Amino acid sequence: MFRTFLRRVLAAAAVLAMAACSGVGTRESPEQYPSQDLDWTIAFGPGGGNDIMARTIVDILQKHRLYPHDIVVENREGGSGATGWGQVFSDAGSGYSISTTSGSFITTPLQADTGWHPQDFTPVGLFATDDSLFLVPGTSPIADWASWVEHARGKGTVVVGGIGTVNVDFIVQAMLADQAGYQIEYVPFNDEGQMQTAMLSGSLEAIISNPGTVLGQVEAGQLRALLTTAAEPLPEIPDVPTDESLGFTGLPSMPRGLILPPGAPDYAQQWWIRTMQQVVETPEWKSYVESNHLSQDLRWGPDFTAFLEQTQADFKRILTERGAL
């Protein structure tokens, strides 16, 4: 409790310092917002689910002229998202710094001294959750989940990968291994392309990824999906079983949302909530959700913060039970 209180005091102090030094609080009225270019931080490298969602939203904002100024998008990967979200945290008080979230936004502060937690940021909203695929190389002799389990148990420990150090990908890999009875050596990546390259080169035996990121490679035969955490089999790969159909329980999905820095002006938060409520009604967003096999889940402002707090508590319990924390 004291550490959370201290973080919020420091964030508030940063807001006051910024206002005192730059005069931001006096130069812009709520009616004028937004009046500047926007810095959009993506906390991971190109090609992953976080990157795809962020660039989809930016494209919609620009196509429908919802944001009247330039949007500067930058991938600031590193530290399982800590580098990018740390940059947004350092922009305390600003309404012109923004970032999309993923599972690492919740889990990274649990296992590293980031100096921030999800509830320290100004919430815009949760938009969707992203299910996972368990994948092996397309050239692997392993054809289905039963064959994978037989292989993994026989080998003792298998080398698997995912995005982020202690993230949803790690949790899914660990829970699958625990419930199926094999051991893993988990290798984290910040970049989807690097992870896939590592597996195709033989450094990894299996990875976790999102359908929207890898379905093309699956359909082309480069990767083979053995399991999905979606509620139903995916239309493009109907023979790939769901985790529940194989007897697995409790596997989490990746939360996809949007946050502003700590202490962002209330009028900026409200503007983004209203604007994103328009974004999620556009044909482009609906097409993105459908083609990437997301489950739409809309929670705005404080409801998003409550979701983050509850999900972080759930993830902390799961990770502690598995000795990861």
Side-chain angles (χ1 to χ4, degrees):
M1 291 294 293
F2 176 74
R3 291 182 65 188
T4 299
F5 172 76
L6 182 60
R7 282 196 304 272
R8 289 172 178 170
V9 168
L10 292 173
V15 173
L16 292 174
M18 180 176 292
C21 295
S22 67
V24 169
T26 60
R27 283 207 306 262
E28 181 181 65
S29 68
E31 293 75 20
Q32 292 174 314
Y33 185 87
S35 62
Q36 302 176 29
D37 293 348
L38 179 71
D39 290 325
W40 193 299
T41 294
I42 301 174
F44 291 94
N50 192 294
D51 182 74
I52 292 171
M53 184 181 77
R55 294 182 185 277
T56 297
I57 295 173
V58 170
D59 288 346
I60 293 171
L61 291 169
Q62 293 175 330
K63 178 178 180 179
H64 292 272
R65 300 183 179 180
L66 295 174
Y67 194 85
H69 300 279
D70 289 341
I71 301 175
V72 180
V73 181
E74 183 174 358
N75 294 85
R76 292 189 175 106
E77 64 264 39
S80 295
T83 299
W85 291 312
Q87 174 62 48
V88 179
F89 183 78
S90 72
D91 292 331
S94 173
Y96 294 97
S97 176
I98 202 165
S99 185
T100 40
T101 68
S102 69
S104 288
F105 184 63
I106 300 171
T107 57
T108 296
L110 292 175
Q111 54 90 36
D113 186 14
T114 59
W116 52 263
H117 275 265
Q119 58 267 32
D120 295 329
F121 292 80
T122 302
V124 175
L126 175 72
F127 313 132
T129 55
D130 201 345
D131 298 313
S132 302
L133 288 174
F134 183 95
L135 305 134
V136 297
T139 56
S140 171
I142 298 171
D144 54 30
W145 180 255
S147 299
W148 165 259
V149 173
E150 181 181 2
H151 163 78
R153 288 175 178 172
K155 190 170 183 181
T157 299
V158 286
V159 183
V160 299
I163 299 296
T165 304
V166 180
N167 190 10
V168 170
D169 290 2
F170 169 79
I171 293 173
V172 171
Q173 289 278 23
M175 291 182 72
L176 287 171
D178 285 354
Q179 294 183 35
Y182 60 88
Q183 301 295 317
I184 62 170
E185 177 185 341
Y186 179 83
V187 182
F189 292 83
N190 283 307
D191 183 283
E192 180 78 25
Q194 292 177 354
M195 181 174 69
Q196 291 189 29
T197 298
M199 187 168 73
L200 294 175
S201 69
S203 300
L204 299 173
E205 296 177 75
I207 62 173
I208 289 288
S209 193
N210 307 118
T213 305
V214 296
L215 266 179
Q217 292 93 315
V218 173
E219 292 174 320
Q222 295 174 318
L223 300 174
R224 180 178 300 132
L226 304 184
L227 174 151
T228 175
T229 63
E232 301 289 340
L234 304 183
E236 293 86 347
I237 44 176
D239 295 333
V240 175
T242 68
D243 58 330
E244 291 187 355
S245 73
L246 294 171
F248 294 100
T249 59
L251 273 63
S253 295
M254 187 81 69
R256 303 291 185 192
L258 191 67
I259 47 98
L260 293 162
D266 179 68
Y267 58 80
Q269 179 193 32
Q270 295 306 313
W271 188 92
W272 276 103
I273 290 174
R274 292 194 302 272
T275 300
M276 288 307 303
Q277 286 172 340
Q278 296 179 63
V279 167
V280 299
E281 293 299 325
T282 62
E284 293 85 358
W285 176 262
K286 293 181 184 298
S287 175
Y288 159 75
V289 169
E290 181 179 356
S291 61
N292 286 275
H293 301 284
L294 303 179
S295 300
Q296 184 153 291
D297 188 350
L298 301 176
R299 306 179 194 225
W300 305 105
D303 288 341
F304 183 31
T305 297
F307 170 88
L308 291 170
E309 291 176 341
Q310 181 60 57
T311 303
Q312 188 176 57
D314 292 342
F315 284 4
K316 183 177 182 179
R317 173 182 52 78
I318 293 170
L319 292 167
T320 300
E321 289 173 352
R322 280 151 186 79
L325 296 179

